Amino acid sequence: MLGALQVKLVGIGLACLLALAVSTGKGAAQATDSEKEIERYREMISDPMSNPGFLNVDRGEALWKLARGTKNVSLEQCDLGEGAGKLDGAYAKLPRYFKDADKVMDVEQRLAWCMQNLQGLDTKDVFARRFGAPGRTSDMEDLVAFIANKSSGMKLATPVQHAKEQEMYAVGKAMFFRRGGTWDFACSTCHSEDGKRIRLQGLPNLSKPDKQVQETMGSWPTYRVSQSQVRTMQHRLWDCYRQMRWPSPDYLSDGLTALTVYLNKNAEGAQIQVPSIKR
């Protein structure tokens, strides 16, 4: 038989477990409620007349048609994979292999290539403003918003057929699971299991083809309310590495493109709805 002290200790233990269960239940309920409210907020401002991201779309269209560089031409003859100047559906099939550059490129890499080779543009200032900030617009974010919006409603279909596309997919997969940095983190640390969250924010599982990765990858570029800026996948991945305490990846690096190939392939068939709105 249990002594009085043992009974008391067992009672305290049961009380603690009950309190923890109630607390966990409340936390889960609060997280669910918060996610519902966040989703309701997104729906309220998803209309083009309410979404600030469509200002970037408009600026991007103007930049696409603007003649500049030493050749004084616009980007309207830039081939994003569907033919010179053809935008409908082009973003849905990026990154992809480009024969003229003999490499796999994402949308920002390809834009930079067209600026330099088609327009003869000095991209130093463009790269300096690669990420927008209060009082400073980004040509790249504006152009990506405009180009990506031309694929809205279409299905994500990043090709992995050419040998170099297959190589990029393999590199991207390896990068996704590669641990490093001062915290020994990898993308998979946060994004390879179902049901994970940080504080009240759900963390989608991006390691396997399903609805979670489709909803994630089909929603970039996005307007970040917390930053008051449209952000591209280049920025999202750069910021992820910053948060993992890795060395900052170079802008337009092949590594980020490889990671995008891997994620987009997992999200194949996702409906693109951009620019979206996120917290």
Side-chain angles (χ1 to χ4, degrees):
M1 294 181 63
L2 295 174
L5 179 58
Q6 290 175 307
V7 170
K8 185 175 182 179
L9 290 174
V10 170
I12 291 173
L14 289 173
C16 289
L17 287 173
L18 179 60
L20 178 61
V22 171
S23 175
T24 303
K26 286 182 178 179
Q30 289 173 348
T32 301
D33 290 344
S34 296
E35 288 174 354
K36 287 181 179 178
E37 288 302 311
I38 290 171
E39 188 59 36
R40 189 169 72 88
Y41 171 73
R42 288 174 181 163
E43 290 176 0
M44 289 170 59
I45 56 179
S46 62
D47 185 271
M49 298 302 291
S50 305
N51 184 343
F54 282 88
L55 296 174
N56 297 75
V57 172
D58 291 342
R59 290 198 301 267
E61 181 176 11
L63 284 168
W64 180 257
K65 298 176 180 178
L66 178 65
R68 56 181 180 171
T70 58
K71 300 179 183 180
N72 195 35
V73 296
S74 71
L75 287 167
E76 290 173 292
Q77 291 304 306
C78 179
D79 183 0
L80 295 174
E82 296 298 293
K86 295 182 180 180
L87 297 180
D88 292 348
Y91 182 79
K93 298 176 183 177
L94 289 169
R96 68 187 299 167
Y97 174 76
F98 289 91
K99 186 176 181 179
D100 53 10
D102 192 29
K103 67 182 298 184
V104 176
M105 295 176 166
D106 74 349
V107 63
E108 286 171 83
Q109 283 180 312
R110 187 60 180 175
L111 281 170
W113 189 92
C114 286
M115 288 175 181
Q116 294 163 352
N117 292 275
L118 181 66
Q119 293 182 303
L121 181 67
D122 181 352
T123 52
K124 182 179 179 180
D125 176 61
V126 174
F127 291 176
R129 295 182 293 108
R130 60 192 179 278
F131 304 142
R136 186 186 73 195
T137 61
S138 164
D139 288 6
M140 282 299 196
E141 288 173 342
D142 290 346
L143 282 164
V144 172
F146 167 63
I147 293 165
N149 181 248
K150 291 293 185 179
S151 290
S152 254
M154 301 182 185
K155 302 293 186 181
L156 196 62
T158 297
V160 183
Q161 298 169 353
H162 191 277
K164 291 197 174 184
E165 292 169 347
Q166 294 172 0
E167 179 184 25
M168 290 294 265
Y169 173 84
V171 171
K173 183 176 181 179
M175 288 180 63
F176 184 84
F177 291 98
R178 175 71 168 85
R179 302 177 72 97
T182 57
W183 287 357
D184 193 34
F185 268 32
C187 302
S188 58
T189 305
C190 293
H191 295 291
S192 64
E193 297 178 33
D194 295 335
K196 275 195 169 184
R197 66 176 63 251
I198 180 169
R199 296 181 295 276
L200 295 179
Q201 181 68 30
L203 296 171
N205 185 346
L206 307 179
S207 66
K208 61 180 182 179
D210 68 3
K211 185 179 179 181
Q212 292 183 71
V213 69
Q214 287 183 333
E215 290 180 346
T216 299
M217 299 308 294
S219 63
W220 290 85
T222 188
Y223 180 81
R224 298 295 302 268
V225 176
S226 59
Q227 301 175 22
S228 300
Q229 301 290 331
V230 159
R231 296 308 191 194
T232 66
M233 184 51 58
Q234 279 272 341
H235 182 276
R236 174 65 275 176
L237 295 178
W238 170 84
D239 199 38
C240 282
Y241 276 103
R242 179 190 66 82
Q243 293 181 67
M244 290 192 294
R245 302 302 188 266
W246 277 63
S248 296
D250 291 338
Y251 181 59
L252 305 185
S253 68
D254 290 337
L256 294 187
T257 299
L259 193 50
T260 303
V261 170
Y262 170 70
L263 295 173
N264 276 7
K265 190 59 180 177
N266 283 353
E268 189 171 30
Q271 186 174 45
I272 299 170
Q273 294 293 346
V274 293
S276 64
I277 287 189
K278 298 183 185 293
R279 63 177 177 83

Short mmCIF file of all heavy atoms in Angstrom, two decimals, residues 89-129:
data_model
loop_
_atom_site.label_atom_id
_atom_site.label_comp_id
_atom_site.label_asym_id
_atom_site.label_seq_id
_atom_site.Cartn_x
_atom_site.Cartn_y
_atom_site.Cartn_z
N GLY A 89 1.76 31.57 -68.45
CA GLY A 89 2.21 30.23 -68.10
C GLY A 89 3.70 30.05 -67.95
O GLY A 89 4.17 28.98 -67.56
N ALA A 90 4.49 31.10 -68.24
CA ALA A 90 5.95 30.96 -68.17
C ALA A 90 6.42 30.72 -66.73
O ALA A 90 7.25 29.84 -66.48
CB ALA A 90 6.63 32.20 -68.74
N TYR A 91 5.88 31.48 -65.80
CA TYR A 91 6.30 31.36 -64.40
C TYR A 91 5.99 29.97 -63.84
O TYR A 91 6.73 29.45 -63.00
CB TYR A 91 5.62 32.43 -63.55
CG TYR A 91 6.01 32.43 -62.10
CD1 TYR A 91 7.21 32.99 -61.68
CD2 TYR A 91 5.18 31.86 -61.14
CE1 TYR A 91 7.58 32.99 -60.34
CE2 TYR A 91 5.53 31.86 -59.79
CZ TYR A 91 6.73 32.42 -59.40
OH TYR A 91 7.08 32.41 -58.07
N ALA A 92 4.91 29.37 -64.32
CA ALA A 92 4.48 28.06 -63.82
C ALA A 92 5.50 26.98 -64.14
O ALA A 92 5.51 25.93 -63.50
CB ALA A 92 3.12 27.69 -64.42
N LYS A 93 6.39 27.23 -65.13
CA LYS A 93 7.35 26.21 -65.54
C LYS A 93 8.79 26.61 -65.20
O LYS A 93 9.74 26.12 -65.82
CB LYS A 93 7.21 25.96 -67.04
CG LYS A 93 5.84 25.42 -67.43
CD LYS A 93 5.71 25.27 -68.95
CE LYS A 93 4.31 24.81 -69.31
NZ LYS A 93 4.13 24.71 -70.78
N LEU A 94 8.93 27.47 -64.24
CA LEU A 94 10.26 27.88 -63.77
C LEU A 94 10.51 27.33 -62.37
O LEU A 94 9.56 27.14 -61.61
CB LEU A 94 10.36 29.41 -63.77
CG LEU A 94 10.43 30.07 -65.15
CD1 LEU A 94 10.27 31.58 -65.02
CD2 LEU A 94 11.75 29.75 -65.84
N PRO A 95 11.78 27.06 -62.03
CA PRO A 95 13.00 27.13 -62.82
C PRO A 95 13.02 26.08 -63.94
O PRO A 95 12.36 25.05 -63.84
CB PRO A 95 14.12 26.85 -61.81
CG PRO A 95 13.50 27.10 -60.47
CD PRO A 95 12.06 26.70 -60.63
N ARG A 96 13.82 26.35 -64.98
CA ARG A 96 13.96 25.43 -66.09
C ARG A 96 15.31 25.65 -66.78
O ARG A 96 15.97 26.66 -66.54
CB ARG A 96 12.82 25.62 -67.08
CG ARG A 96 12.87 26.94 -67.82
CD ARG A 96 11.63 27.16 -68.67
NE ARG A 96 11.47 26.13 -69.69
CZ ARG A 96 10.35 25.97 -70.40
NH1 ARG A 96 9.29 26.73 -70.17
NH2 ARG A 96 10.28 25.03 -71.32
N TYR A 97 15.68 24.71 -67.64
CA TYR A 97 16.94 24.81 -68.38
C TYR A 97 16.77 25.74 -69.57
O TYR A 97 15.79 25.67 -70.32
CB TYR A 97 17.37 23.44 -68.87
CG TYR A 97 18.59 23.47 -69.77
CD1 TYR A 97 19.86 23.66 -69.24
CD2 TYR A 97 18.45 23.32 -71.15
CE1 TYR A 97 20.99 23.70 -70.07
CE2 TYR A 97 19.57 23.35 -71.98
CZ TYR A 97 20.83 23.55 -71.43
OH TYR A 97 21.93 23.59 -72.25
N PHE A 98 17.74 26.67 -69.75
CA PHE A 98 17.78 27.57 -70.89
C PHE A 98 19.02 27.27 -71.71
O PHE A 98 20.15 27.38 -71.21
CB PHE A 98 17.78 29.03 -70.42
CG PHE A 98 16.47 29.48 -69.84
CD1 PHE A 98 16.22 29.35 -68.47
CD2 PHE A 98 15.48 30.02 -70.65
CE1 PHE A 98 15.01 29.76 -67.94
CE2 PHE A 98 14.27 30.44 -70.12
CZ PHE A 98 14.03 30.30 -68.76
N LYS A 99 18.82 26.91 -72.97
CA LYS A 99 19.93 26.51 -73.83
C LYS A 99 20.89 27.67 -74.08
O LYS A 99 22.12 27.46 -74.10
CB LYS A 99 19.38 25.99 -75.15
CG LYS A 99 20.46 25.41 -76.07
CD LYS A 99 19.85 24.82 -77.34
CE LYS A 99 20.92 24.22 -78.24
NZ LYS A 99 20.33 23.61 -79.47
N ASP A 100 20.36 28.90 -74.25
CA ASP A 100 21.24 30.02 -74.57
C ASP A 100 22.21 30.34 -73.43
O ASP A 100 23.32 30.83 -73.66
CB ASP A 100 20.44 31.27 -74.97
CG ASP A 100 19.40 31.66 -73.94
OD1 ASP A 100 19.39 31.10 -72.83
OD2 ASP A 100 18.56 32.54 -74.26
N ALA A 101 21.81 30.07 -72.21
CA ALA A 101 22.68 30.30 -71.05
C ALA A 101 23.34 29.02 -70.57
O ALA A 101 24.25 29.06 -69.75
CB ALA A 101 21.88 30.91 -69.90
N ASP A 102 22.85 27.88 -71.09
CA ASP A 102 23.35 26.54 -70.72
C ASP A 102 23.31 26.33 -69.21
O ASP A 102 24.25 25.80 -68.61
CB ASP A 102 24.77 26.32 -71.24
CG ASP A 102 25.21 24.85 -71.13
OD1 ASP A 102 24.32 23.98 -71.21
OD2 ASP A 102 26.41 24.59 -70.95
N LYS A 103 22.19 26.72 -68.62
CA LYS A 103 22.01 26.47 -67.18
C LYS A 103 20.53 26.54 -66.81
O LYS A 103 19.71 27.08 -67.57
CB LYS A 103 22.82 27.47 -66.35
CG LYS A 103 22.35 28.91 -66.44
CD LYS A 103 23.25 29.84 -65.63
CE LYS A 103 23.23 29.52 -64.15
NZ LYS A 103 24.02 30.47 -63.34
N VAL A 104 20.24 25.99 -65.65
CA VAL A 104 18.89 26.07 -65.11
C VAL A 104 18.75 27.39 -64.36
O VAL A 104 19.62 27.74 -63.55
CB VAL A 104 18.60 24.89 -64.16
CG1 VAL A 104 17.22 25.03 -63.53
CG2 VAL A 104 18.71 23.57 -64.92
N MET A 105 17.67 28.12 -64.63
CA MET A 105 17.47 29.44 -64.02
C MET A 105 16.07 29.56 -63.42
O MET A 105 15.10 29.02 -63.98
CB MET A 105 17.63 30.55 -65.06
CG MET A 105 19.00 30.68 -65.67
SD MET A 105 18.99 31.95 -66.97
CE MET A 105 20.74 32.20 -67.21
N ASP A 106 15.99 30.28 -62.32
CA ASP A 106 14.68 30.67 -61.81
C ASP A 106 14.31 32.00 -62.47
O ASP A 106 15.05 32.53 -63.30
CB ASP A 106 14.67 30.75 -60.29
CG ASP A 106 15.40 31.96 -59.73
OD1 ASP A 106 16.09 32.66 -60.49
OD2 ASP A 106 15.27 32.21 -58.51
N VAL A 107 13.16 32.54 -62.12
CA VAL A 107 12.68 33.74 -62.80
C VAL A 107 13.61 34.94 -62.60
O VAL A 107 13.86 35.72 -63.53
CB VAL A 107 11.24 34.08 -62.36
CG1 VAL A 107 11.15 34.41 -60.87
CG2 VAL A 107 10.67 35.24 -63.19
N GLU A 108 14.18 35.09 -61.40
CA GLU A 108 15.05 36.25 -61.15
C GLU A 108 16.40 36.11 -61.85
O GLU A 108 16.95 37.09 -62.36
CB GLU A 108 15.21 36.46 -59.64
CG GLU A 108 13.93 37.05 -59.03
CD GLU A 108 13.95 37.10 -57.51
OE1 GLU A 108 14.52 38.05 -56.96
OE2 GLU A 108 13.38 36.17 -56.90
N GLN A 109 16.93 34.90 -61.89
CA GLN A 109 18.16 34.68 -62.63
C GLN A 109 17.96 34.99 -64.12
O GLN A 109 18.81 35.61 -64.77
CB GLN A 109 18.64 33.24 -62.47
CG GLN A 109 19.32 32.92 -61.16
CD GLN A 109 19.76 31.48 -61.10
OE1 GLN A 109 19.00 30.57 -61.41
NE2 GLN A 109 21.00 31.25 -60.71
N ARG A 110 16.82 34.54 -64.64
CA ARG A 110 16.55 34.76 -66.06
C ARG A 110 16.35 36.24 -66.37
O ARG A 110 16.82 36.74 -67.41
CB ARG A 110 15.32 33.96 -66.48
CG ARG A 110 15.07 33.98 -67.99
CD ARG A 110 16.24 33.40 -68.75
NE ARG A 110 16.02 33.42 -70.20
CZ ARG A 110 16.92 33.06 -71.10
NH1 ARG A 110 18.12 32.65 -70.70
NH2 ARG A 110 16.65 33.11 -72.39
N LEU A 111 15.66 36.95 -65.49
CA LEU A 111 15.48 38.38 -65.67
C LEU A 111 16.83 39.11 -65.68
O LEU A 111 17.07 39.98 -66.51
CB LEU A 111 14.58 38.95 -64.57
CG LEU A 111 13.08 38.73 -64.75
CD1 LEU A 111 12.34 39.13 -63.47
CD2 LEU A 111 12.54 39.53 -65.93
N ALA A 112 17.69 38.73 -64.76
CA ALA A 112 19.02 39.35 -64.70
C ALA A 112 19.79 39.07 -65.99
O ALA A 112 20.47 39.95 -66.53
CB ALA A 112 19.80 38.83 -63.50
N TRP A 113 19.68 37.84 -66.52
CA TRP A 113 20.35 37.47 -67.77
C TRP A 113 19.83 38.33 -68.92
O TRP A 113 20.62 38.82 -69.75
CB TRP A 113 20.12 35.99 -68.06
CG TRP A 113 20.94 35.45 -69.20
CD1 TRP A 113 22.17 34.85 -69.13
CD2 TRP A 113 20.58 35.45 -70.59
NE1 TRP A 113 22.60 34.49 -70.37
CE2 TRP A 113 21.65 34.84 -71.29
CE3 TRP A 113 19.47 35.91 -71.30
CZ2 TRP A 113 21.62 34.67 -72.68
CZ3 TRP A 113 19.45 35.75 -72.68
CH2 TRP A 113 20.51 35.14 -73.36
N CYS A 114 18.51 38.52 -68.98
CA CYS A 114 17.92 39.34 -70.04
C CYS A 114 18.32 40.81 -69.90
O CYS A 114 18.57 41.49 -70.91
CB CYS A 114 16.40 39.20 -70.03
SG CYS A 114 15.79 37.62 -70.68
N MET A 115 18.36 41.30 -68.68
CA MET A 115 18.78 42.69 -68.47
C MET A 115 20.19 42.91 -68.99
O MET A 115 20.48 43.89 -69.67
CB MET A 115 18.72 43.04 -66.98
CG MET A 115 17.33 43.18 -66.41
SD MET A 115 17.39 43.43 -64.61
CE MET A 115 15.65 43.53 -64.21
N GLN A 116 21.07 41.97 -68.68
CA GLN A 116 22.48 42.11 -69.04
C GLN A 116 22.73 41.84 -70.51
O GLN A 116 23.52 42.54 -71.16
CB GLN A 116 23.33 41.19 -68.16
CG GLN A 116 23.31 41.57 -66.69
CD GLN A 116 23.78 40.45 -65.78
OE1 GLN A 116 23.99 39.32 -66.22
NE2 GLN A 116 23.94 40.74 -64.50
N ASN A 117 22.08 40.83 -71.08
CA ASN A 117 22.37 40.41 -72.46
C ASN A 117 21.44 41.03 -73.49
O ASN A 117 21.88 41.33 -74.61
CB ASN A 117 22.30 38.88 -72.56
CG ASN A 117 23.41 38.19 -71.80
OD1 ASN A 117 24.51 38.03 -72.30
ND2 ASN A 117 23.13 37.80 -70.57
N LEU A 118 20.19 41.21 -73.12
CA LEU A 118 19.23 41.78 -74.07
C LEU A 118 19.24 43.31 -74.04
O LEU A 118 19.23 43.96 -75.08
CB LEU A 118 17.82 41.26 -73.75
CG LEU A 118 16.68 41.74 -74.65
CD1 LEU A 118 16.86 41.21 -76.07
CD2 LEU A 118 15.33 41.29 -74.10
N GLN A 119 19.29 43.86 -72.82
CA GLN A 119 19.23 45.31 -72.68
C GLN A 119 20.61 45.98 -72.58
O GLN A 119 20.73 47.18 -72.81
CB GLN A 119 18.41 45.69 -71.44
CG GLN A 119 16.94 45.34 -71.52
CD GLN A 119 16.18 45.79 -70.28
OE1 GLN A 119 16.52 45.40 -69.16
NE2 GLN A 119 15.17 46.62 -70.48
N GLY A 120 21.61 45.21 -72.19
CA GLY A 120 22.91 45.82 -71.92
C GLY A 120 22.84 46.71 -70.68
O GLY A 120 23.51 47.74 -70.60
N LEU A 121 22.07 46.28 -69.70
CA LEU A 121 21.84 47.09 -68.50
C LEU A 121 22.87 46.78 -67.42
O LEU A 121 23.17 45.61 -67.15
CB LEU A 121 20.43 46.82 -67.96
CG LEU A 121 19.99 47.61 -66.73
CD1 LEU A 121 19.84 49.09 -67.06
CD2 LEU A 121 18.67 47.05 -66.18
N ASP A 122 23.38 47.80 -66.80
CA ASP A 122 24.24 47.63 -65.63
C ASP A 122 23.32 47.30 -64.46
O ASP A 122 22.54 48.13 -64.01
CB ASP A 122 25.02 48.92 -65.37
CG ASP A 122 25.97 48.81 -64.17
OD1 ASP A 122 25.91 47.78 -63.46
OD2 ASP A 122 26.75 49.74 -63.93
N THR A 123 23.39 46.08 -63.96
CA THR A 123 22.45 45.61 -62.95
C THR A 123 22.91 45.89 -61.51
O THR A 123 22.29 45.39 -60.57
CB THR A 123 22.20 44.10 -63.12
OG1 THR A 123 23.47 43.42 -63.15
CG2 THR A 123 21.43 43.82 -64.39
N LYS A 124 23.97 46.65 -61.35
CA LYS A 124 24.47 46.92 -60.00
C LYS A 124 23.40 47.53 -59.11
O LYS A 124 23.19 47.09 -57.97
CB LYS A 124 25.69 47.86 -60.07
CG LYS A 124 26.31 48.15 -58.72
CD LYS A 124 27.53 49.06 -58.85
CE LYS A 124 28.15 49.38 -57.49
NZ LYS A 124 29.34 50.26 -57.61
N ASP A 125 22.68 48.53 -59.61
CA ASP A 125 21.64 49.17 -58.81
C ASP A 125 20.45 48.25 -58.60
O ASP A 125 19.85 48.22 -57.52
CB ASP A 125 21.17 50.46 -59.50
CG ASP A 125 20.01 51.12 -58.76
OD1 ASP A 125 20.20 51.50 -57.59
OD2 ASP A 125 18.91 51.22 -59.35
N VAL A 126 20.12 47.47 -59.63
CA VAL A 126 19.01 46.51 -59.52
C VAL A 126 19.29 45.51 -58.41
O VAL A 126 18.41 45.19 -57.59
CB VAL A 126 18.78 45.78 -60.86
CG1 VAL A 126 17.73 44.68 -60.70
CG2 VAL A 126 18.34 46.77 -61.93
N PHE A 127 20.51 44.99 -58.36
CA PHE A 127 20.88 44.01 -57.33
C PHE A 127 20.94 44.66 -55.95
O PHE A 127 20.62 44.02 -54.94
CB PHE A 127 22.21 43.36 -57.65
CG PHE A 127 22.17 42.44 -58.85
CD1 PHE A 127 23.32 41.84 -59.32
CD2 PHE A 127 20.98 42.19 -59.53
CE1 PHE A 127 23.29 40.99 -60.42
CE2 PHE A 127 20.93 41.36 -60.63
CZ PHE A 127 22.09 40.76 -61.08
N ALA A 128 21.36 45.92 -55.90
CA ALA A 128 21.42 46.63 -54.61
C ALA A 128 20.02 46.78 -54.03
O ALA A 128 19.85 46.83 -52.81
CB ALA A 128 22.08 47.99 -54.79
N ARG A 129 19.02 46.86 -54.91
CA ARG A 129 17.62 47.00 -54.47
C ARG A 129 16.85 45.69 -54.69
O ARG A 129 15.65 45.71 -54.93
CB ARG A 129 16.94 48.14 -55.24
CG ARG A 129 17.50 49.52 -54.96
CD ARG A 129 16.73 50.61 -55.72
NE ARG A 129 16.91 50.51 -57.16
CZ ARG A 129 15.97 50.11 -58.02
NH1 ARG A 129 14.77 49.75 -57.58
NH2 ARG A 129 16.21 50.05 -59.32
#
